[in-house]
Amino acid sequence: MASPFRLTTKGIEIYIKITPNAASDSIAGIRRRTEIETTSSTSITTTNSASSSSSSSKKKKSNSNKQEALTVPTQSIAELEIEVRVTAPPDKGKANASLLKLLSKEWKVPSANLSVATGLTSRNKKLLLETQDPEEALGRLTNWLQSNLSLENV
């Protein structure tokens, strides 16, 4: 299932699209992300050794160990983003503070555990929810998502 959440070693990353200067503070919906994040690559090193023998000459031909580096691009699994509207202006972090306050209240998590990881001055943000048990928190967020936002048209 596509999700705006991504489990990491630090906690849970949450993808957000924020609209400041809105009429009210609200979670407006969910949508497909316009830009899917890809990491640069994952490198895999393989070692090949080959040997062959010829029955007529009884000579053994041996290649030395050869290492190849394969680059495999990896893609983020967070393909969706949560649309949030806040009344605060995008001035001196006011919209970010309002966003964190709204989501910490909605998700019942301590506001100190929720931070803007990337996108401080952008409408596209990646939040980080730091928690002792990321898998349990991911389950709670996924249940919240399914209960509160329609995933039918995404």
Side-chain angles (χ1 to χ4, degrees), residues 1 3-8 11-14 107 109 129 131-148 151:
M1 175 180 104
S3 170
F5 309 119
R6 188 172 121 187
L7 193 61
T8 69
I12 300 169
E13 291 177 345
I14 304 138
W107 294 334
V109 296
L129 174 61
T131 177
Q132 294 291 337
D133 189 354
E135 289 182 11
E136 184 271 333
L138 180 61
R140 284 191 302 117
L141 289 174
T142 302
N143 289 339
W144 170 87
L145 179 70
Q146 293 170 343
S147 300
N148 294 284
L151 297 171

Side-chain angles (χ1 to χ4, degrees), residues 9-154:
T9 55
K10 294 180 181 179
I12 300 169
E13 291 177 345
I14 304 138
Y15 292 84
I16 302 290
K17 173 76 171 201
I18 186 174
T19 303
N21 292 323
S24 64
D25 290 348
S26 66
I27 298 172
I30 190 157
R31 63 185 220 147
R32 289 232 172 257
R33 292 179 57 208
T34 54
E35 296 177 18
I36 301 297
E37 175 182 308
T38 55
T39 59
S40 57
S41 64
T42 301
S43 294
I44 302 170
T45 304
T46 60
T47 304
N48 295 330
S49 70
S51 65
S52 62
S53 63
S54 169
S55 61
S56 61
S57 64
K58 295 190 181 191
K59 290 182 182 177
K60 210 173 208 183
K61 187 178 179 182
S62 176
N63 291 343
S64 61
N65 287 342
K66 187 178 182 182
Q67 291 189 350
E68 292 181 8
L70 303 175
T71 302
V72 181
T74 56
Q75 186 174 11
S76 168
I77 59 169
E79 298 172 357
L80 303 178
E81 60 190 4
I82 300 170
E83 293 180 276
V84 180
R85 296 183 180 134
V86 296
T87 57
D91 180 44
K92 299 178 185 171
K94 292 176 185 172
N96 289 337
S98 185
L99 168 70
L100 297 176
K101 181 179 177 183
L102 174 68
L103 293 178
S104 65
K105 183 178 177 181
E106 179 72 25
W107 294 334
K108 298 173 180 63
V109 296
S111 58
N113 291 16
L114 195 57
S115 62
V116 179
T118 63
L120 281 172
T121 60
S122 171
R123 291 180 181 224
N124 297 312
K125 301 186 182 300
K126 180 169 43 174
L127 305 183
L128 178 63
L129 174 61
E130 296 179 85
T131 177
Q132 294 291 337
D133 189 354
E135 289 182 11
E136 184 271 333
L138 180 61
R140 284 191 302 117
L141 289 174
T142 302
N143 289 339
W144 170 87
L145 179 70
Q146 293 170 343
S147 300
N148 294 284
L149 300 176
S150 174
L151 297 171
E152 288 180 22
N153 297 327
V154 227

